[in-house]
Amino acid sequence: TQALTPFQVGIYFSVYSIAKVLAEVPTGAFGDKYGRKLSTLIGSVIVATVPLIFYLGHSFPAYLVAAVLFAIGGAFISGSLDAMVYDDPEVSKESYRQVAWLEITFYQAGLITSTALGGFMYQLYPGLPFMAEALAGAVVFLLVLVMKDATHYKKDITKESYIKYFGTGLKHLLATAHLKIVVLVGVLV
């Protein structure tokens, strides 16, 4: 494997962040038009390939490809997965809040656990943490596969409507002082 310089790590995260921002609106439109379940399934397949690219790539350009794919896959998932749960008529608003809370809790617990276990697994066999992450992605795919997808949200999506919504959102963002601060802090961090 190739060790990355601090500069390359910065480039990696910049490429990831830019790709994620650019992919959010078109993947959201895809989910609205073709189904949130399909969007989440596509995203989970893309995200599951990323650790394998890291493991097999062994070069900075391969890592940049992984960053772009991770961003695009995450964009397909973000919003669509939450909306699938939220739009399920059998899920109350209170249940949705509990699911959202559990999602955050388990995500944080997973980060802490995987950080500790990843190093240990790497010592056993360098490919093991990457294979485990890809396997976890496959499990996510299977779980999403059995979820219900409400179809009442599907609309005639046009490029013009998304440009209009994006413009309205941007105006709201620029007109709201606390949102400007949140975005500025996010950009700086």
Side-chain angles (χ1 to χ4, degrees):
T1 60
Q2 174 185 344
L4 298 179
T5 67
F7 178 75
Q8 288 174 318
V9 171
I11 295 296
Y12 171 87
F13 283 111
S14 295
V15 166
Y16 168 81
S17 297
I18 291 167
K20 180 82 178 208
V21 167
L22 293 175
E24 281 293 335
V25 171
T27 57
F30 180 92
D32 288 345
K33 186 165 186 162
Y34 299 105
R36 293 172 178 149
K37 183 175 181 175
L38 179 60
S39 179
T40 304
L41 288 170
I42 290 169
S44 65
V45 167
I46 294 170
V47 168
T49 65
V50 170
L52 301 175
I53 293 170
F54 275 122
Y55 180 61
L56 300 171
H58 302 292
S59 70
F60 183 59
Y63 300 154
L64 291 181
V65 168
V68 170
L69 289 175
F70 192 52
I72 293 170
F76 268 108
I77 295 169
S78 76
S80 288
L81 184 56
D82 289 339
M84 261 187 5
V85 175
Y86 187 82
D87 288 341
D88 187 329
E90 296 176 21
V91 177
S92 69
K93 303 291 185 235
E94 180 56 35
S95 295
Y96 175 76
R97 280 191 216 82
Q98 289 174 337
V99 167
W101 180 82
L102 288 171
E103 176 187 10
I104 292 167
T105 302
F106 282 114
Y107 176 78
Q108 295 300 325
L111 282 178
I112 293 167
T113 306
S114 64
T115 300
L117 285 178
F120 175 72
M121 291 167 60
Y122 188 87
Q123 291 300 317
L124 293 175
Y125 175 70
L128 193 55
F130 302 101
M131 289 184 271
E133 187 177 356
L135 178 62
V139 169
V140 167
F141 177 86
L142 294 174
L143 289 173
V144 172
L145 200 57
V146 298
M147 291 176 72
K148 287 188 283 182
D149 189 10
T151 56
H152 69 273
Y153 58 83
K154 293 182 185 176
K155 308 171 196 154
D156 284 332
I157 306 299
T158 65
K159 183 172 74 169
E160 291 76 21
S161 66
Y162 273 95
I163 292 170
K164 177 184 164 193
Y165 294 138
F166 182 76
T168 303
L170 191 58
K171 284 179 192 173
H172 177 69
L173 174 68
L174 296 175
T176 311
H178 67 277
L179 287 179
K180 282 192 249 184
I181 293 169
V182 168
V183 171
L184 180 62
V185 168
V187 168
L188 295 176
V189 173

